Amino acid sequence: MTDLNELRISPSIHEGVIERHFAVDPISREAVDDSVISGMTDAVQNLRHGLAKAHNVAKAVLANEMQTIAARHKQIEIEAGRITGPAISNFDKVRARALKEIELVSEQIAAPPKPTDFAGHSLASEVRTRLAGMKPADRKKALDAALHDGDDIVLGAVLNGPAMLSGIATKEEMAVLRTRWQHLRHAPEVDRINRLKAALTDFDRAGQLALTFSLSLANRKIIEQAEAKERAVKDAITSAA
């Protein structure tokens, strides 16, 4: 059975592990505000505070000799859920928001804007046809030149269509081209996506560790054994009636 006096909240359940993913202003060296990361930071902080309160309550309840051991653990389980419930609910909402933001920004920088008129669509089709007819080495040179020159007409024609239409052989080759274009045109957004993903990894780790900590406050086995005995008594009384 876990000794509650020895139980400690993991250092990974701390807002500091999320705060390190803020962008840093190169001049002031201060963190640049990001509402999504701020939300994740606050969520982890609230969860940490909730766990600390639940831990203190658990220690007090476990010391109550007016209750049976099983009753104490059952109360701890109930109180832990009540105390940490709001923080966990908010945690899930913040996580969903972070995932949505990553998806939204990723979509926004997936490719140059698609043409909106017939002439633009026709030109894009011609570009893809021309590229598809080139030898792989020549096509690579043409795409490298487009990247160097900032030619989003050519790159948009490729990135907004299936790889095969431009003669690109694999999804991996297309992904590399997209990544190169994104780093050239949308470096800040790419950096933010990477930081959000890293923050989300730490966020999820904090959530998993918090769940493990919360569940360790009460001994579920003791509770289940006591509940089984209680049911047995009720069944015996019912059968004797």
Side-chain angles (χ1 to χ4, degrees):
M1 187 172 72
T2 303
D3 184 346
L4 294 183
N5 290 317
E6 297 296 325
L7 191 62
R8 297 289 183 272
I9 296 175
S10 170
S12 293
I13 310 174
H14 194 282
E15 54 276 16
V17 301
I18 307 299
E19 289 174 339
R20 62 182 178 170
H21 297 295
F22 279 110
V24 176
D25 186 284
I27 298 176
S28 68
R29 305 308 301 169
E30 293 182 354
V32 178
D33 184 49
D34 186 312
S35 61
V36 177
I37 295 180
S38 291
M40 297 168 77
T41 299
D42 293 343
V44 172
Q45 183 181 62
N46 291 337
L47 188 58
R48 178 172 63 84
H49 289 167
L51 292 174
K53 291 178 182 178
H55 188 201
N56 289 333
V57 168
K59 288 188 289 185
V61 171
L62 198 59
N64 181 13
E65 296 182 358
M66 294 297 291
Q67 291 181 312
T68 64
I69 293 296
R72 297 178 209 178
H73 282 279
K74 184 63 177 178
Q75 185 178 0
I76 289 171
E77 187 176 69
I78 293 171
E79 292 299 325
R82 179 186 64 80
I83 294 169
T84 63
I88 292 174
S89 177
N90 179 62
F91 194 92
D92 291 340
K93 292 178 182 177
V94 170
R95 185 179 190 278
R97 183 189 176 196
L99 286 171
K100 186 66 176 178
E101 184 71 4
I102 291 171
E103 179 184 5
L104 178 63
V105 178
S106 297
E107 288 178 355
Q108 290 173 342
I109 67 169
K114 294 181 180 180
T116 57
D117 56 7
F118 178 76
H121 283 288
S122 296
L123 179 57
S125 179
E126 290 178 17
V127 169
R128 287 191 290 265
T129 300
R130 180 65 181 274
L131 289 170
M134 292 180 177
K135 294 179 180 179
D138 292 335
R139 182 168 51 250
K140 184 180 183 305
K141 288 180 181 179
L143 292 174
D144 286 345
L147 285 166
H148 180 271
D149 297 339
D151 190 343
D152 279 359
I153 293 178
V154 170
L155 294 165
V158 176
L159 295 175
N160 281 312
M164 55 183 259
L165 293 182
S166 300
I168 295 177
T170 66
K171 291 182 179 179
E172 290 73 18
E173 188 179 348
M174 178 71 99
V176 169
L177 177 63
R178 192 182 307 280
T179 299
R180 292 176 66 193
W181 176 80
Q182 289 174 332
H183 277 85
L184 286 171
R185 301 290 188 279
H186 298 286
E189 289 85 352
V190 170
D191 175 67
R192 182 169 182 244
I193 289 173
N194 290 336
R195 287 186 292 98
L196 287 175
K197 287 180 177 179
L200 191 59
T201 296
D202 287 337
F203 191 75
D204 286 345
R205 183 185 298 113
Q208 185 59 51
L209 289 170
L211 178 61
T212 300
F213 182 91
S214 180
L215 293 176
S216 68
L217 294 175
N219 191 312
R220 177 107 285 269
K221 185 175 181 180
I222 290 177
I223 296 171
E224 290 175 350
Q225 290 174 342
E227 289 175 338
K229 292 177 180 178
E230 184 180 46
R231 285 193 299 272
V233 170
K234 291 180 180 179
D235 290 343
I237 293 174
T238 301
S239 63

